[in-house]
Amino acid sequence: MMEFTGHHIVITGASSGIGEATAEHVAALGARVTLLARRADRLEALAARLGAPAQWQAVDVADEDALGAALDAAVAQAGPIDGLFLNAGTGGTFAPAEAYPPDAFARVLAVNLLAPFHAVARVLPVMKARRRGAILVTGSLASERGMANNVAYVASKHAVLGLARAIALEAAPFGVRCNCVVPGFIETEMLSGLPHDALQQLAAKVPQGRTGSAQELAAVAAFLLSDAASHVTGQSIAVDGGLLGTLTV
Ligand code: NDP
């Protein structure tokens, strides 16, 4: 059975969308939660709403020192980390590779790939020593497929899946797990900029004929962070209504 009583779960990108929904899900099952993202007002409101022990810190995950300090502070305040959900992500811009601004490319890599790497490096030693811990990264359909004019995002999401698989192998002998959850088209702020017609076109590509909700993603993320998934590691699990099972994505 999935439950989080006494577990400390740290979530990046917790101020909206998938991270917020996952915080709500695990807190309802008894977790102590640390919420990380940049928008302090959103984090403060969520922490108050959770009605469970919750702390938050406003941090740009691309700032390695600030991220490290936030993780250290999380441990000091709420104890060792049982579950680390590295979910903060940015889409970058759309441009052909030859015109893709190098600084935008570097920024996407810093948020989507380097931040998870630095967070894992900070947290994994204690998880290994405790012989306990679950790490989860958020990938994308772009972890598994190419996408034109989106080179930074696709490269970063392929790479973060690779990071999860490599960490899973290093951590497995120490009783620590690492997986990747792959959202399909999930209705969060990341998609909310799209016109209604474009959203409908996306939904039409999904075998289930609809987009997914942040809550549907959160249920799977919570499972992978929980002890119920104790024999699941090194996996990429899509929550996509069947998209990756088709020939057309
Ligand atoms: P949201 O835009 O709702 O959430 C993105 C989260 O990341 C926010 O909490 C944002 O917080 C945080 N974030 C972004 N940049 C930074 C940063 N530099 N430092 C700290 N936090 C940051 O979208 P989703 O919930 O959909 O996105 C969550 C993850 O899911 C991302 O990794 C995204 O790539 C992935 N994904 C989503 C898909 C979808 O269809 N929704 C599809 C495929 C992948 P803040 O702005 O407060 O810093």
Side-chain angles (χ1 to χ4, degrees):
M1 204 179 86
M2 194 162 61
E3 61 114 15
F4 288 89
T5 306
H7 296 194
H8 180 197
I9 307 294
V10 174
I11 301 174
T12 71
S15 57
S16 59
I18 290 165
E20 178 180 21
T22 304
E24 289 171 342
H25 197 109
V26 300
L29 294 172
R32 290 194 304 278
V33 186
T34 296
L35 312 168
L36 304 178
R38 291 167 300 178
R39 286 170 292 176
D41 54 336
R42 298 284 298 253
L43 296 176
E44 187 174 21
L46 175 59
R49 201 169 69 238
L50 286 178
Q55 52 187 347
W56 60 270
Q57 292 171 64
V59 63
D60 182 341
V61 296
D63 180 336
E64 180 187 348
D65 292 340
L67 176 60
L71 292 168
D72 290 351
V75 172
Q77 288 170 36
I81 297 168
D82 300 290
L84 178 63
F85 186 19
L86 301 168
N87 164 72
T90 185
T93 187
F94 287 91
E98 62 272 26
Y100 205 96
D103 55 342
F105 190 97
R107 174 73 185 168
V108 172
L109 268 285
V111 174
N112 294 1
L113 176 63
L114 295 181
F117 165 68
H118 293 309
V120 167
R122 195 81 164 205
V123 169
L124 189 55
V126 175
M127 286 185 169
K128 282 171 150 181
R130 294 177 71 219
R131 301 192 71 82
R132 168 169 181 74
I135 298 167
L136 180 63
V137 304
T138 303
S140 164
L141 298 176
S143 298
E144 306 275 5
R145 299 287 191 271
M147 205 181 291
N149 301 318
N150 207 3
V151 63
Y153 188 73
V154 173
S156 72
K157 290 296 187 179
H158 268 65
V160 83
L161 171 55
L163 179 131
R165 287 180 171 148
I167 297 301
L169 293 179
E170 291 184 24
F174 298 91
V176 177
R177 299 180 297 103
C178 185
N179 291 291
C180 178
V181 66
V182 168
F185 300 134
I186 304 294
E187 288 207 35
T188 65
E189 288 178 17
M190 198 162 261
L191 290 191
S192 64
L194 294 176
H196 182 68
D197 284 359
L199 258 185
Q200 282 193 322
Q201 281 172 16
L202 287 184
K205 292 182 191 293
V206 181
Q208 284 186 341
R210 65 173 179 85
T211 52
S213 70
Q215 288 71 27
E216 288 175 306
L217 196 299
V220 177
F223 167 68
L224 292 169
L225 289 164
S226 79
D227 292 341
S230 54
H231 203 43
V232 182
T233 196
Q235 299 304 304
S236 166
I237 299 181
V239 181
D240 69 350
L243 260 173
L244 282 178
T246 68
L247 289 173
T248 51
V249 181

